[in-house]
């Protein structure tokens, strides 16, 4: 079955996806929509993702761009929150002979904080989970792996376990991203669901990377659908 799902992942190798997710908070309220424009390489891995966020009246409130040219799972990223005039930038850089991940935070256009983190080979950031799962679980046919998950607003990364839970009753494949024992006291696990046949993201359950309108952390359930028919790149 692992081989089968990997074949399905590769079936979309030349497709440019436009994926739309609707986020519901834990009170059952619709809070935002996110639209992902995804460009993939010849092996089905994301090369670039642009995500735009809209509030419940359709106003654009945030944007994230992720470029995977340097690292497949830890992209160079820029997250802009237009509501609070706040920007986070993260990118791979060199410090001597070593790689680092540099985070810069801007408030009202002014640089307010920078952090240089030692690069970990298992570092995963944001939408890099899609590439990580395909490369390290599906391709290698393993059901559990350990990662350092980057949280740019906290200027740090944390240890998580990624577990393939297999197929559910609805034929979606579930992956659980579980925090370490100590971290689990403060952070709940994340669940990601993929369509078994197409390999496309179907559902996300967990902490949002977009804070609430009151600038507080929020947990959400996001259901995804393809916005329009996909087509091969270059056509």
């Amino acid at each position: 079955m692992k081989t089968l799902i990997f074949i399905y992942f590769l079936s979309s190798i030349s497709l440019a996806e436009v994926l739309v997710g609707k986020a519901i908070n834990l009170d059952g309220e619709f809070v935002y929509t996110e639209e992902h424009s995804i460009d993939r390489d010849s092996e089905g891995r994301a090369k670039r993702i642009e995500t735009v966020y809209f509030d419940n009246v359709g106003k654009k409130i945030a944007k994230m761009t992720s470029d995977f040219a340097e690292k497949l799972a830890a992209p160079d990223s820029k997250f802009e929150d237009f509501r609070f005039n706040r920007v986070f930038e993260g990118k791979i850089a060199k410090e001597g002979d070593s790689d680092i991940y540099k985070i810069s935070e801007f408030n009202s256009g002014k640089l307010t904080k920078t952090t240089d983190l030692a690069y970990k080979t298992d570092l995963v950031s944001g939408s890099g989970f899609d590439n990580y799962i395909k490369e390290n679980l599906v391709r290698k046919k393993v059901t559990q792996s350990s990662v350092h998950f980057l949280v740019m607003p906290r200027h740090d990364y944390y240890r998580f376990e990624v577990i393939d839970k297999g197929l559910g009753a609805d034929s979606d494949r579930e992956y659980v991203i579980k925090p370490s024992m100590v971290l689990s006291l403060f952070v709940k696990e994340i669940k990601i669901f993929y369509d078994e046949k197409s390999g496309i993201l179907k559902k996300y359950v967990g902490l949002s990377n977009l804070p609430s309108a009151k600038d507080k952390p929020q947990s959400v359930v996001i259901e995804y659908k393809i916005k329009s028919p996909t087509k091969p790149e270059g056509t």
Side-chain angles (χ1 to χ4, degrees):
M1 185 59 69
K2 275 286 190 175
T3 301
L4 179 61
I5 191 171
F6 185 55
I7 290 172
Y8 280 128
F9 272 129
L10 293 187
S11 70
S12 62
I13 58 177
S14 62
L15 299 183
E17 301 164 20
V18 179
L19 200 61
V20 175
K22 292 188 176 181
I24 307 297
N25 65 19
L26 297 186
D27 294 324
E29 302 167 330
F30 169 67
V31 284
Y32 64 86
T33 299
E34 53 184 50
E35 182 172 309
H36 306 262
S37 298
I38 308 168
D39 292 326
R40 298 191 181 276
D41 67 15
S42 60
E43 295 187 14
R45 298 169 298 202
K47 296 188 301 181
R48 186 178 187 278
I49 300 176
E50 180 177 290
T51 304
V52 181
Y53 301 81
F54 302 91
D55 67 12
N56 55 11
V57 295
K59 181 182 178 180
K60 184 164 75 171
I61 55 175
K63 179 181 176 181
M64 177 186 278
T65 55
S66 298
D67 188 303
F68 299 83
E70 290 292 328
K71 304 292 183 182
L72 281 176
D76 288 353
S77 296
K78 182 178 182 180
F79 181 77
E80 304 169 84
D81 194 324
F82 306 127
R83 300 167 302 172
F84 309 114
N85 201 8
R86 186 166 57 222
V87 176
F88 291 96
E89 292 183 350
K91 62 179 59 180
I92 296 293
K94 282 289 186 182
E95 188 175 76
D97 295 329
S98 302
D99 286 337
I100 61 170
Y101 198 90
K102 180 181 288 291
I103 301 173
S104 301
E105 180 176 347
F106 299 84
N107 286 279
S108 300
K110 296 181 179 180
L111 179 63
T112 55
K113 185 177 181 180
T114 61
T115 304
D116 293 346
L117 299 173
Y119 175 74
K120 304 284 188 181
T121 56
D122 62 354
L123 184 64
V124 178
S125 176
S127 53
F129 258 117
D130 186 65
N131 283 344
Y132 183 86
I133 286 172
K134 291 176 183 179
E135 291 296 302
N136 293 277
L137 277 77
V138 177
R139 186 186 292 272
K140 295 180 180 179
K141 300 180 182 180
V142 299
T143 57
Q144 186 165 342
S145 185
S146 194
V147 303
H148 281 87
F149 182 44
L150 181 72
V151 182
M152 281 206 295
R154 290 183 177 269
H155 290 253
D156 208 346
Y157 42 54
Y158 304 91
R159 174 67 72 179
F160 280 77
E161 295 295 320
V162 184
I163 305 167
D164 180 355
K165 303 292 285 187
L167 293 177
D170 54 3
S171 296
D172 288 342
R173 185 167 290 271
E174 178 184 355
Y175 293 90
V176 173
I177 303 165
K178 192 172 183 178
S180 65
M181 184 69 71
V182 174
L183 190 60
S184 66
L185 298 174
F186 310 98
V187 179
K188 302 300 183 183
E189 66 183 20
I190 295 169
K191 297 180 181 180
I192 303 175
F193 300 83
Y194 287 89
D195 180 77
E196 172 72 358
K197 292 185 177 180
S198 67
I200 292 174
L201 179 64
K202 291 286 295 296
K203 186 177 180 180
Y204 172 95
V205 181
L207 186 66
S208 175
N209 65 338
L210 186 72
S212 71
K214 296 181 179 180
D215 202 16
K216 301 292 184 181
Q218 62 179 337
S219 293
V220 293
V221 176
I222 307 176
E223 302 274 359
Y224 293 93
K225 292 183 179 180
I226 294 293
K227 181 179 181 180
S228 56
T230 57
K231 60 182 180 179
E233 293 179 351
T235 64

